[in-house]
């Protein structure tokens, strides 16, 4: 309750200040904000997929570690307002405005801001402008910016240049939308075109910077792998082409198959050669045996030129038939030719038999056996022998050819193994690089799906109308701030003030209770009324400390004005007289000598005064001038310190008061506070 009353008293005390000062400040704020510039606001929202993205390597979200997710989201926000991003946004804005700003009506920059921009830019920067191309101007500004660590463009970017400096662009608000994957962007400025394109460029440069940071190394690795894969592919193609040329040069289709085929053919030919050789020997032996039986006829035939020519022709045809039968490439043409040769051979054989019959008219042998039958058998065996001989010749030629081919296949096999190993090694390297490239691309795709799927779900909108003015809020804030400052100022004064003012503060400063208060003196009927009520309240309070059947002593002290003590003593005397108390005021120099040894060493006031009054009021002088005897302090019915509410309590005052309170030995000690306001008096006494 005391706290509330103290607060109310404090507010009431400074009531004029808390009205006049905020009112005055508010009027000034109204005047200063009458030409407040308009503000345009552009908002955007970006979906990041950090929390709810897709992961190609697992079924769950990109990460379940909340700290990782929060860190990823904060990284996105920090990248958006990084120096690299803001620098490129600043240079793109500058290039756009320098190229299109001269147009009377454009959506990029107002005429007023364009003129101010030209005034602030140095000539070295203006020379870089290409009016035909915004892109060329931007890259020219970027190259000029990066060319030196201290040039005009860097100074403008790092200074307070409106709309283009780090300070201005950093005012873009970047906040996560609750705990979601969304990032809210907000930018406010005094030019609609600058505000809109700042937000648009910021998003584009943010994507570029994030991709560079996130995928720069991965994309570089992919480029290296693609380059190496291309080179390895060329090496592999060269090795395969070399192998192909080698096959073509050596007329190879399948080396292993050809080698196996040569071996198999050689075995087949050898087997057939043996069969033909046996057949030939058998035919020769049979022909000789038959020739011995019909030697005359055979001699006639052997001596016949026609027979020999016909036999030679049959041998020739037989040789051709053998060649066609043992040919490695059997096609339709060879088959037709073979059939023709067989028919021709059969015809010649028949003619040979007829010729032999004509030559040999004697058809009987010496033994009486018909020679025609033996001659026919001899002819058949002779023809068989010639056929076997022709076929043996062909077989031997083929074996010789196969032997030559096998001799060539030996070194070819060694070269083929070397070339095949080279192709295999090149192919293995190519496949390894291809596998690494696919893995790298998969990793990049996974990173794109898990952390870089940045999408603008709410695009910036060009602000055609300004935002609601903040003038009212500015004025209200100014008034409230001035009110707080006034209250704070006076509260600080009150907190450090040593002025007593009212009972609560007096008790806090002096650490003693206040028994009564007196209002400021006013020479009027109402003032007399309050004086009487104060006297009555004090006397009633004092009488509660009187001891029945004994003479009571009241000690009055002060640390300042002696006159106030005398006046108060008279008021107490008059008040107690109304209750039939006989009261005597003992004053220094008049009733006792405060500087005498008897006074200093007195045991009781009644040792100095022999009267018989009921109450003695001992009026001490200022405590700073005289010392009160200890026995008089502790034997008194009550000790009263009289102080003014307007007094500033000092450490010396506290010391003098404690000189008395330290010797009370249980005797009552209170404060009488005078010159208080009527409000304080009414509050303390409860009297109206």
């Amino acid at each position: 309750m005391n706290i509330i009353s103290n607060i109310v008293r404090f507010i009431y005390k400074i009531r004029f200040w808390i009205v006049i000062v905020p009112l005055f400040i508010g009027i000034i704020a109204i005047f200063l904000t009458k030409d407040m510039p308009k503000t345009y606001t552009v908002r955007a929202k970006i979906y990041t997929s950090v929390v709810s993205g897709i992961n190609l390597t697992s079924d769950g979200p990109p990460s379940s570690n909340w700290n990782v997710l929060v860190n990823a989201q904060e990284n996105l926000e920090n990248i958006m307002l990084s120096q690299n991003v803001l620098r490129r946004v600043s240079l793109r804005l500058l290039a756009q405005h320098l190229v299109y700003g001269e147009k009377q009506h454009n959506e990029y920059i107002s005429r007023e801001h364009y003129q101010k921009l030209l005034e602030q830019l140095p000539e070295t920067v203006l020379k870089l402008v290409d009016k035909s191309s915004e892109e060329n101007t931007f890259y020219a500004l970027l190259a000029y910016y990066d060319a030196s660590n201290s040039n005009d463009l860097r100074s403008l970017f790092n200074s307070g240049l409106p709309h283009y400096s780090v300070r201005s662009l950093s005012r873009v608000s970047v906040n996560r939308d609750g705990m979601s994957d969304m990032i809210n962007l907000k930018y406010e400025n005094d030019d609609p075109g600058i505000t809109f394109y700042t937000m648009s460029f910021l998003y584009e440069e943010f994507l570029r910077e994030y991709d560079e940071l996130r995928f720069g190394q991965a994309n570089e690795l992919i480029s290296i792998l693609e380059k190496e894969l291309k080179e390895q592919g060329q090496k592999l193609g060269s090795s395969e082409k070399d192998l192909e040329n080698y096959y073509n040069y050596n007329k190879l289709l399948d080396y292993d198959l050809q080698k196996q085929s040569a071996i198999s053919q050689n075995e087949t030919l050898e087997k057939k050669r043996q069969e033909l050789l046996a057949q030939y020997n058998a035919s020769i032996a049979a022909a000789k045996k038959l020739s011995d039986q019909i030697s005359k006829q055979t001699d006639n035939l052997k001596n016949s030129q026609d027979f020999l020519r016909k036999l030679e022709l049959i041998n020739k045809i037989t040789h051709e038939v053998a060649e066609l039968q043992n040919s490695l490439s059997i096609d339709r043409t060879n088959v037709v030719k073979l059939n023709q040769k067989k028919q021709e051979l059969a015809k010649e054989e028949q003619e040979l038999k007829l010729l032999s019959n004509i030559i040999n008219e004697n058809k009987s042998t010496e033994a009486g056996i018909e020679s025609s039958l033996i001659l026919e058998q001899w002819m058949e065996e002779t023809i068989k022998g010639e056929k076997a001989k022709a076929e043996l010749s062909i077989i031997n030629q083929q074996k010789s050819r196969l032997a030559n081919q096998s001799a060539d296949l030996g070194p070819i096999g060694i070269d083929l193994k070397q070339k095949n190993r080279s192709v295999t090694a090149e192919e293995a390297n190519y496949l390894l690089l291809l596998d690494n490239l696919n893995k790298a691309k998969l990793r990049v795709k996974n990173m794109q799906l898990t952390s870089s799927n940045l999408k603008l779900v709410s695009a910036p909108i060009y602000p055609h109308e300004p935002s609601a003015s903040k003038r009212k809020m500015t004025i209200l804030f100014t008034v409230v701030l001035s009110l707080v400052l006034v209250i704070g100022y006076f509260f600080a004064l009150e907190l450090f003030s040593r002025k007593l003012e009212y009972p609560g503060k007096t008790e806090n400063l002096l650490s003693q209770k206040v028994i009564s208060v007196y209002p400021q003196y006013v020479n009027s009927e109402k003032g007399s009324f309050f004086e009487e009520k104060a006297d009555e309240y004090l006397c009633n309070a004092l009488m509660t400390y009187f001891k029945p059947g004994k003479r009571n002593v009241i000690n009055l002290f002060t640390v300042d004005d002696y006159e106030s003590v005398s006046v108060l003593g008279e008021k107490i005397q008059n008040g107690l007289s109304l209750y039939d108390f006989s009261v005597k005021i003992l004053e220094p120099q008049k009733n006792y000598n405060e500087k005498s040894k008897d006074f200093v060493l007195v045991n009781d006031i009644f040792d100095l005064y022999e009267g018989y009054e009921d109450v003695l009021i001992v009026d001490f002088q200022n405590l700073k001038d005289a010392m009160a005897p200890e026995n008089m302090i502790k034997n008194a019915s009550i000790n009263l310190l009289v102080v003014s509410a307007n007094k500033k309590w000092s450490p010396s005052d506290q010391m003098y008061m404690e000189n008395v309170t330290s010797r009370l030995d249980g005797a009552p000690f209170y404060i009488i506070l005078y010159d208080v306001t009527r409000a304080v008096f009414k509050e303390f006494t409860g009297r109206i």
Side-chain angles (χ1 to χ4, degrees):
M1 191 65 185
N2 288 334
I3 295 176
I4 296 175
S5 63
N6 290 339
I7 292 174
V8 172
R9 183 183 299 108
F10 172 72
I11 298 298
Y12 181 78
K13 178 181 177 181
I14 61 172
R15 60 190 182 278
F16 295 109
W17 291 103
I18 61 178
V19 172
I20 294 174
V21 173
L23 181 62
F24 178 73
I25 296 297
I27 293 172
I28 295 177
I30 292 172
F31 177 77
L32 294 177
T33 57
K34 66 178 181 178
D35 297 324
M36 196 173 186
K38 296 178 180 179
T39 301
Y40 296 86
T41 303
V42 175
R43 291 181 173 85
K45 184 173 288 188
I46 299 175
Y47 172 74
T48 63
S49 76
V50 170
V51 177
S52 57
I54 302 172
N55 194 337
L56 292 179
T57 59
S58 66
D59 297 331
S63 175
S64 58
N65 190 323
W66 187 251
N67 292 329
V68 173
L69 298 178
V70 171
N71 182 63
Q73 198 79 7
E74 289 180 352
N75 286 340
L76 294 177
E77 297 174 9
N78 292 331
I79 291 172
M80 190 168 294
L81 295 180
S82 64
Q83 288 282 331
N84 286 344
V85 172
L86 296 183
R87 172 172 59 89
R88 290 181 65 90
V89 170
S90 173
L91 295 179
R92 287 186 66 178
L93 284 172
L94 188 59
Q96 183 186 72
H97 297 161
L98 291 175
V99 172
Y100 303 113
E102 284 186 352
K103 296 181 180 179
Q104 189 65 29
H105 300 288
N106 65 81
E107 63 178 10
Y108 307 107
I109 186 173
S110 66
R111 193 68 181 174
E112 177 187 358
H113 289 142
Y114 178 68
Q115 293 297 333
K116 290 182 178 178
L117 175 62
L118 293 180
E119 293 173 0
Q120 292 176 302
L121 291 179
E123 189 65 26
T124 53
V125 176
L126 296 176
K127 289 181 179 179
L128 302 173
V129 179
D130 181 0
K131 292 293 185 180
S132 63
S133 174
E134 177 185 343
E135 183 178 1
N136 291 343
T137 303
F138 166 69
Y139 284 112
L141 292 173
L142 184 61
Y144 180 75
Y145 183 95
D146 294 334
S148 172
N149 291 326
S150 58
N151 53 42
D152 298 329
L153 213 50
R154 283 183 180 268
S155 300
L156 292 174
F157 180 68
N158 295 311
S159 66
L161 183 65
H163 310 134
Y164 309 97
S165 66
V166 180
R167 189 185 310 168
S168 297
L169 295 175
S170 296
R171 291 192 290 107
V172 176
S173 174
V174 181
N175 296 309
R176 184 179 180 184
D177 191 358
M179 307 304 291
S180 67
D181 279 336
M182 301 294 182
I183 293 180
N184 293 322
L185 305 180
K186 178 183 176 183
Y187 184 54
E188 294 180 344
N189 213 320
D190 57 353
D191 190 302
I194 295 176
T195 307
F196 173 74
Y197 282 102
T198 297
M199 186 67 76
S200 300
F201 291 159
L202 181 67
Y203 174 69
E204 294 172 6
E205 293 303 324
F206 163 63
L207 287 183
R208 189 200 65 80
E209 184 71 14
Y210 184 76
D211 287 343
E212 180 67 25
L213 290 174
R214 186 66 174 168
F215 308 113
Q217 293 182 347
N219 291 333
E220 184 179 353
L221 175 61
I222 290 175
S223 299
I224 294 173
L225 288 175
E226 288 177 341
K227 182 179 178 181
E228 291 184 354
L229 185 66
K230 183 179 179 181
E231 294 176 355
Q232 189 62 35
Q234 293 174 350
K235 291 181 180 179
L236 177 60
S238 176
S239 298
E240 289 176 341
K241 188 66 177 176
D242 181 57
L243 182 62
E244 181 184 356
N245 293 335
Y246 191 80
Y247 265 85
N248 293 333
Y249 178 78
N250 291 283
K251 299 179 181 179
L252 299 174
L253 295 176
D254 188 329
Y255 171 78
D256 293 332
L257 184 61
Q258 285 180 261
K259 182 178 179 181
Q260 187 65 33
S261 176
I263 295 172
S264 177
Q265 286 181 13
N266 187 59
E267 291 176 353
T268 302
L269 290 174
E270 180 62 25
K271 182 178 179 181
K272 192 171 182 179
R273 191 183 76 82
Q274 293 296 331
E275 291 176 354
L276 290 173
L277 185 61
Q279 182 181 348
Y280 174 75
N281 292 329
S283 296
I284 294 298
K288 186 175 184 308
K289 183 177 179 181
L290 292 172
S291 178
D292 292 341
Q293 295 179 7
I294 52 170
S295 58
K296 185 177 180 179
Q297 286 85 347
T298 56
D299 290 339
N300 292 333
L301 292 175
K302 292 178 179 179
N303 294 325
S304 174
Q305 295 296 324
D306 293 335
F307 180 82
L308 293 175
R309 283 195 296 270
K310 185 64 71 175
L311 185 61
E312 184 179 355
L313 179 60
I314 289 173
N315 288 338
K316 181 181 178 182
I317 295 173
T318 302
H319 190 274
E320 291 177 354
V321 170
E323 282 185 342
L324 290 173
Q325 285 179 340
N326 291 281
S327 176
L328 296 176
S329 57
I330 304 297
D331 54 15
R332 183 177 180 84
T333 304
N334 290 339
V335 172
V336 173
K337 189 175 181 180
L338 177 63
N339 292 332
Q340 290 176 352
K341 290 295 180 180
K342 284 182 178 181
Q343 291 175 2
E344 185 179 354
L345 179 62
K347 180 182 176 182
E348 294 296 332
E349 288 178 352
Q350 187 66 31
E351 289 180 355
L352 183 63
K353 289 179 181 180
L354 291 174
L355 182 61
S356 65
N357 291 331
I358 293 172
I359 294 173
N360 294 287
E361 293 178 355
N362 186 8
K363 300 181 181 177
S364 302
T365 64
E366 295 177 353
I369 303 174
E370 288 201 10
S371 62
S372 61
L373 181 60
I374 297 173
L375 182 61
E376 185 177 353
Q377 292 178 351
W378 177 81
M379 288 291 296
E380 290 178 356
E381 293 297 331
T382 301
I383 292 172
K384 286 181 180 180
E386 292 299 327
K387 286 182 178 179
K389 182 180 178 181
E391 289 183 1
L392 276 173
S393 175
I394 298 300
I395 293 298
N396 289 330
Q397 291 177 5
Q398 290 181 348
K399 281 180 65 63
S400 177
R401 187 167 57 250
L402 283 175
N404 293 332
Q405 289 181 356
S406 298
D408 293 337
L409 287 176
I412 288 175
I414 297 173
D415 292 341
L416 280 178
K417 285 182 180 180
Q418 293 176 347
K419 293 182 181 296
N420 282 326
R421 280 198 302 268
S422 176
V423 171
T424 302
E426 298 293 348
E427 184 179 15
N429 291 336
Y430 181 84
L431 293 176
L432 179 61
L433 288 172
L434 182 62
D435 182 59
N436 291 335
L437 178 61
N438 290 332
K439 288 180 180 179
K441 289 182 176 180
L442 182 62
R443 273 193 227 104
V444 170
K445 193 63 179 176
N446 185 49
M447 287 190 293
Q448 289 176 344
L449 292 174
T450 55
S451 61
S452 68
N453 189 19
L454 303 174
K455 242 176 217 183
L456 194 63
V457 296
S458 179
I461 300 175
Y462 193 92
H464 294 283
E465 297 293 334
S467 306
S469 175
K470 296 181 180 180
R471 187 186 181 197
K472 292 181 180 179
M473 291 300 298
T474 302
I475 295 173
L476 180 61
F477 175 77
T478 304
V479 171
V480 172
L481 180 62
S482 63
L483 179 62
V484 171
L485 291 176
V486 168
I487 294 175
Y489 172 75
F490 283 103
F491 178 76
L493 292 180
E494 184 73 14
L495 184 64
F496 295 105
S497 173
R498 304 290 293 178
K499 192 175 181 180
L500 301 180
E501 294 186 280
Y502 53 89
K505 188 175 181 181
T506 302
E507 291 177 353
N508 288 334
L509 290 174
L510 276 62
S511 300
Q512 299 294 334
K513 291 290 185 180
V514 175
I515 193 172
S516 182
V517 296
Y518 272 84
Q520 294 173 344
Y521 175 74
V522 178
N523 188 14
S524 65
E525 182 178 350
K526 195 171 184 179
S528 300
F529 172 77
F530 281 113
E531 289 284 343
E532 292 176 1
K533 294 301 180 180
D535 293 342
E536 182 180 346
Y537 184 87
L538 177 59
C539 290
N540 289 333
L542 291 176
M543 286 188 292
T544 59
Y545 292 95
F546 286 175
K547 300 173 183 177
K550 292 186 178 180
R551 301 171 70 186
N552 293 284
V553 178
I554 300 174
N555 291 332
L556 294 179
F557 304 99
T558 184
V559 291
D560 248 340
D561 189 4
Y562 174 73
E563 181 181 355
S564 61
V565 176
S566 301
V567 173
L568 190 60
E570 294 177 358
K571 289 180 176 294
I572 295 173
Q573 183 180 26
N574 295 332
L576 292 177
S577 299
L578 297 176
Y579 295 93
D580 295 330
F581 282 100
S582 57
V583 182
K584 175 66 177 178
I585 299 175
L586 300 181
E587 300 177 1
Q589 304 301 330
K590 185 176 180 181
N591 301 105
Y592 62 88
N593 184 6
E594 76 278 11
K595 295 183 180 180
S596 65
K597 181 176 69 172
D598 295 336
F599 177 76
V600 174
L601 301 176
V602 68
N603 185 45
D604 194 287
I605 188 59
F606 298 106
D607 294 339
L608 299 176
Y609 178 73
E610 297 179 354
Y612 296 96
E613 287 80 8
D614 297 322
V615 179
L616 291 180
I617 300 175
V618 181
D619 186 0
F620 286 94
Q621 287 186 342
N622 193 330
L623 287 175
K624 297 179 181 179
D625 299 329
M627 183 188 71
E630 181 177 352
N631 291 329
M632 290 184 65
I633 294 173
K634 63 183 181 181
N635 291 329
S637 299
I638 187 170
N639 296 281
L640 301 174
L641 178 63
V642 182
V643 292
S644 171
N646 297 321
K647 177 176 178 56
K648 293 183 179 179
W649 194 253
S650 65
S652 62
D653 297 332
Q654 184 72 17
M655 181 187 66
Y656 288 121
M657 183 192 72
E658 290 177 353
N659 187 34
V660 176
T661 56
S662 63
R663 296 180 292 162
L664 290 173
D665 194 20
F669 183 88
Y670 288 96
I671 306 296
I672 296 178
L673 190 63
Y674 66 93
D675 285 340
V676 299
T677 62
R678 290 186 181 181
V680 172
F681 173 76
K682 292 176 182 179
E683 180 186 352
F684 187 83
T685 62
R687 296 176 179 270
I688 301 177

